[in-house]
Amino acid sequence: MRVTRLMVIVTTMGLLGLQAFAADEAVLRPRVPSDQIDQVRTWTNPLPATPDIIEKGKQLFHGKAFCVTCHGKDGRGLGKDIEPGTVRGPLPRDFTDPQWQAARTDGELLWVLKNGSKGTAMAPFVPLILTEEEAWQVVRYLRTFAEKHEDAL
Ligand code: HEC
């Protein structure tokens, strides 16, 4: 009984710790350069958030675009290839972070898929691996991780 309670406390502390890390200013700082950001924020996702589009994005994330290897099945940014402390530079983004989700427009996410994030492991995927339309599908899927976070609470 006591052990269980201890485990709950340790787990809660761990989650709070992750939360604190997720809210890090370094994470929330825009990745789009300041001279482009106003324009990029006007880009809207041309595809609706229908189950069909989200499913297409999911297939790409777990399949040919291999996002899963770094961002993980649960989108928390600790994919099978990444262990905390073993990567240089910033960790892959935790897509379940509600503050991060709120801070970014769909346009900014698409920009990162086109340009990557300089100085990090996040490479450009459009047009070599994804078409622009596929990238918008993936963006729809990325947004569903926000809901998963709420489910987990
Ligand atoms: C090789 C590892 C790796 C792969 C594969 C990868 N990413 Fe990333 N991703 C990262 C890292 C590292 C960051 C954090 C970059 C930073 O902090 O600027 C990141 C950040 C991001 C961001 C957040 C940028 C922001 O504005 O905060 C998005 C969106 C993203 N990745 C989407 C994807 C998608 C979609 C795929 C698959 C098409 C993918 N990533 C594949 C490593 C990866």
Side-chain angles (χ1 to χ4, degrees):
M1 202 53 185
R2 221 183 274 158
V3 173
T4 316
R5 200 180 297 161
L6 188 68
M7 276 170 65
V8 169
I9 292 169
V10 169
T11 309
T12 310
M13 282 169 64
L15 288 174
L16 289 174
L18 271 181
Q19 195 69 21
F21 178 74
D24 198 326
E25 265 180 45
V27 165
L28 297 180
R29 176 181 58 75
R31 267 39 183 179
V32 179
S34 54
D35 62 336
Q36 293 178 51
I37 197 153
D38 287 345
Q39 221 260 312
V40 167
R41 282 183 175 154
T42 68
W43 299 353
T44 52
N45 198 326
L47 306 174
T50 58
D52 177 50
I53 298 287
I54 290 167
E55 182 58 31
K56 283 183 179 155
K58 182 177 180 178
Q59 294 305 323
L60 294 163
F61 183 95
H62 295 267
K64 85 167 178 182
F66 59 88
C67 321
V68 68
T69 55
C70 293
H71 290 280
K73 260 196 283 190
D74 57 6
R76 287 180 195 272
L78 298 173
K80 64 183 169 64
D81 291 349
I82 309 274
E83 293 290 329
T86 62
V87 280
R88 273 190 220 163
L91 282 174
R93 188 66 67 250
D94 174 4
F95 298 132
T96 69
D97 174 357
Q99 277 183 281
W100 175 80
Q101 283 277 353
R104 294 285 190 270
T105 66
D106 283 2
E108 288 176 83
L109 303 186
L110 195 88
W111 186 94
V112 167
L113 287 172
K114 289 174 107 164
N115 298 278
S117 182
K118 215 174 159 216
T120 79
M122 181 64 204
F125 283 80
V126 179
L128 275 182
I129 295 160
L130 295 173
T131 65
E132 193 160 316
E133 185 180 9
E134 287 172 329
W136 284 122
Q137 292 166 357
V138 174
V139 168
R140 283 289 180 217
Y141 177 60
L142 296 185
R143 292 305 192 187
T144 67
F145 287 115
E147 295 147 28
K148 280 168 198 156
H149 177 80
E150 280 158 27
D151 291 350
L153 286 178

